[in-house]
Amino acid sequence: MLEIEIDGKKLTVPTGSTVMDAANSIGVHIPHFCYHKKLSIAANCRMCLVQVEKAPKPLPACATPVTDGMKVYTHSDMAVKAQKGVMEFLLINHPLDCPICDQGGECQLQDLAVGYGQSGSRYEEEKRVVANKNLGPLISTDMTRCIHCSRCVRFTEEIAGYQELGMPGRGEHTEVMSFIGKTVNSEISGNVIDLCPVGALTSKPFRYSARTWELSRRKSVGAHDGLGANLVVQVKNNQVMRVLPLENEAINECWLSDRDRFSYEALNSAARLTQPMVKDGGQWKVVGWQEALELVATKLKGITASHGADSVAAIASPNSTLEELYLLRKSLAGLDIRNLEARTRLGDVRFETKAAGWLGQSIVDLAASESLLLIGSTLRKEQPLLAQRLRQSVKKGLKLALINPHDDELLCAVAGKLVVRPDQLVEGVLAVLKAAADITGKAVPADIDLAGVEVSTEARALAELIVAGEKKSLVLGNIALQHERAAELHAAAAALAEIAGATLGLLRDGANSVGADIVGFATNKDLITANKKAYVLLHSELADLKQGAKAAFEGAEFVVAMTSFADEARDYADVLLPVSPFSETSGTFVNMEGKPQSFNGVVRPLGETRPAWKVLRVLGNILGLNGFDYDSSEAVRGDVLNGDIAKVLDNTPAKAVAVKAQATAGLVRLAEVPLYETDALVRRAPSLQATVDAESAAQLRANAATLASFGLVAGGNACVQQGGASVTLAVAEDAGLPDQVVRVPFGRATLALGSGAIEVIKA
Amino acid sequence: MVTSNQAPTLSAESQAQIDRELAKYPADQRRSALMSALRIAQVEHRWLSNELIAVVADYVGVPPIAAMEVATFYNMFDRAPVGRHKITVCTNLPCALSGGYKAADYLKQKLGIGFNETTADGKFTLKEGECMGACGYAPVLLVNNHSMCNHMTPDAIDKKLAELE
């Protein structure tokens, strides 16, 4: 510990702290631009110059380590003179276009210029002008405003993991840019907008639509992945204008994924459903809420009476709130309907956890693991900010290992990996399990048959990695949980975790997947192919479900869709009920670490839209059920989460599943849900849909040898046939895939495809 | 010379030279070899096109923008086509006092081009350079970044130009 005195205040700070850290710890503000607590030190803006006793010249606070007995003056004449001098230089080339700059009102340069700038400029020569760059559909540029703090450059390199931005040129010819013709494609690229202390990088979708002082800031929670990022939703005239991160070090730190940041565009989409509608003789008719709900109640009662309660099923999106799911369960339970499912993409009905499946530990604890074995996950696309957090952990010594059906770059050092065919994922885990059992001398459970399992050197290396050390984690990602042998993967992974003494975690896909499990939205029956007589849909759409959903809905007697959008469900539903997306309702999401996070609606519901929990409360009353007199979503939440949440979380397999290695051969499909296909909102956000990631959702990818074996060329087209349907996709090369694997994502472009044998022909 | 519609490649010889440079640095700091790698690529292709920079970056294993930063920072990297012989005349103060500008003017008149221009036959490009650390032998000039010529009086320049093919 070192003693330091800042502006006369004495304090002690840990060895290695900088003057900036010390000042921040006692709330002394030192003006700065390039310094950011999450980024490396650049010390290139010079704004944080302070006076240090005995130093002959002002020193940059962000890059000056504290020495014992140091005396610092942050607002002495010398310091302020230095800061004002720096400000004068910074303003020399900065355009005075604040009135038309989107950053105006929330600009660090503007704010500091008030404190340290002069009223006029001594500079009379020509100002520098810099051409704008095209960084893609999300980030807008006005590069003349850039003050070269290099925060965005350091962000892409250090936080996002790949340097997409750089500063070519020298001196006053330096410009921040991407490589010629390239856009910034990171899944967390939007953070550079927040980082930019001036108006050089601003939000493209938000551009010129509002001024910051017109917006109210309201807290909410990210509704697209299991992380539950904390949001500040900015609202004007009852409309969501943009979304920013709310700092929460334990969850999203100060970052936000592009999916959480830009999906708000869908909230204002023209496709929003604003009135309850009923299909009457093939024609859609606008009706009142009472009429619509009475029809739903009558129909559901009639169908359960004539065909039994088992003939009705409810399918909810895992992004539905806890309160919505609970009241849906409760109202349907009044009719004895028990077919409830929120794991809409589950590939294996045998998959079942003892209680709600979760990460197995907190996000912070996971990141603090010594080693982590990730099984079946495209982590950067599934949970962008978790991938970012682990990337930082790897730099601090986390050994990250992978068993994956692809070799996607995690943009950090990987301690070991096993790349297998997607249908050999179970065998991959079994190989590591066998090696781990060998090393530790522990026995595997009797249901797991290790006969015929060959241990490769890679598998053995992974086993050695995961059995060594103290704090170990083993995590199953979306590819594993959506796998057609997910139950076997689960059993094998649980056995491996047991033998290795590791914590088993499940990376859940939805914002409230854990909450849905707690409510009991899991049936272990295939509700789609069962062709029920009636379906109740909550926020879920065809692209959230498997092939056959459309046929099942069209064949059903009655389908009620509780949705925010009118453009899809009208094809197959009989009643459309406009229910609020997350921004227009209060509710709770339980994130992957089992933490319930409640939020309020940030805007009024659009048109006749109502929060689904209120709709379901009224439905319960119309059905004549007791216990539907809730007057707030908090009251509903109190009914679900009454007690210690840890007691309802358990990743242990509910039943023993026989696991045995199987030989597979031939062409196989790797189907995963692309980054911007995850839910109804994301699919309707135009800017996200214009990104490179969205483009790849309609691509077939395979390695060069596999492409050649079908006569395909990257850039061409291919016709893919599976499950009696075919689609044409653009072809791209992916060198990280094993032979005879085609990566055909699961999204709107491939919705027609089923499962089973796949064929590819040149188109 | 690189044609614009074809991705440039590094010859086996250049690759071997870059490998040698890479071997000088730790395996996780390959970026350190960028400056040498770009120099080697420039010797082979005479100038650094965007495509060539991307090829070098790929070979070294860094993002292309990182190589672009280096290639645009140093003025001995040529980012536009140059003639067969690039002549860089020092015009910094000690040279200027000892006839640097005279040497440059003589070259301009003799070749019929100005600074940053190339003769019509593509043989010579004239550049203005910074101090080459040989002020005692002023005026100095560099031919193709690698060969330094001292005491470049008009006679010496005539002789040097005659040597260059």
Side-chain angles (χ1 to χ4, degrees), chain A residues 388-431:
Chain A
Q388 182 281 130
R389 194 185 270 266
L390 294 181
R391 187 172 302 132
Q392 309 313 321
S393 295
V394 167
K395 288 183 199 163
K396 292 183 203 130
L398 166 71
K399 293 194 185 76
L400 180 60
L402 310 161
I403 304 178
N404 255 341
H406 56 66
D407 192 14
D408 279 12
E409 195 47 77
L410 266 173
L411 303 176
C412 62
V414 173
K417 64 185 169 193
L418 183 59
V419 179
V420 294
R421 286 166 55 95
D423 52 4
Q424 287 288 305
L425 207 50
V426 177
E427 288 68 22
V429 180
L430 287 179

Side-chain angles (χ1 to χ4, degrees), chain B residues 10-159:
Chain B
L10 292 169
S11 68
E13 196 187 329
S14 294
Q15 290 186 8
Q17 285 180 39
I18 296 175
D19 289 342
R20 198 179 128 79
E21 296 297 331
L22 283 166
K24 294 178 183 173
Y25 304 100
D28 60 342
Q29 289 172 35
R30 292 170 67 90
R31 180 180 279 205
S32 306
L34 258 183
M35 214 198 312
S36 306
L38 288 167
R39 169 178 54 77
I40 291 160
Q42 177 165 296
V43 169
E44 182 185 336
H45 291 270
R46 225 175 281 152
W47 67 286
L48 296 172
S49 60
N50 293 335
E51 294 76 14
L52 183 59
I53 290 172
V55 167
V56 172
D58 191 46
Y59 191 83
V60 176
V62 297
I65 188 71
M68 180 67 104
E69 288 180 327
V70 177
T72 53
F73 189 88
Y74 297 102
N75 66 353
M76 282 163 83
F77 288 130
D78 291 307
R79 298 272 297 108
V82 292
R84 276 206 303 289
H85 305 290
K86 184 181 77 166
I87 299 173
T88 313
V89 187
C90 177
T91 55
N92 281 183
L93 186 65
C95 269
L97 293 173
S98 310
Y101 276 107
K102 276 187 201 145
D105 288 342
Y106 183 72
L107 272 166
K108 283 181 190 170
Q109 169 247 317
K110 175 112 187 184
L111 299 175
I113 53 174
F115 283 134
N116 297 319
E117 288 177 3
T118 303
T119 52
D121 59 1
K123 201 169 169 188
F124 295 107
T125 297
L126 191 59
K127 294 256 178 188
E128 191 172 14
E130 306 297 324
C131 182
M132 294 157 195
C135 312
Y137 311 113
V140 293
L141 57 81
L142 264 183
V143 178
N144 286 337
N145 289 343
H146 285 86
S147 120
M148 169 102 84
C149 310
N150 306 325
H151 301 297
M152 295 314 283
T153 56
D155 286 349
I157 289 172
D158 284 342
K159 203 172 147 212

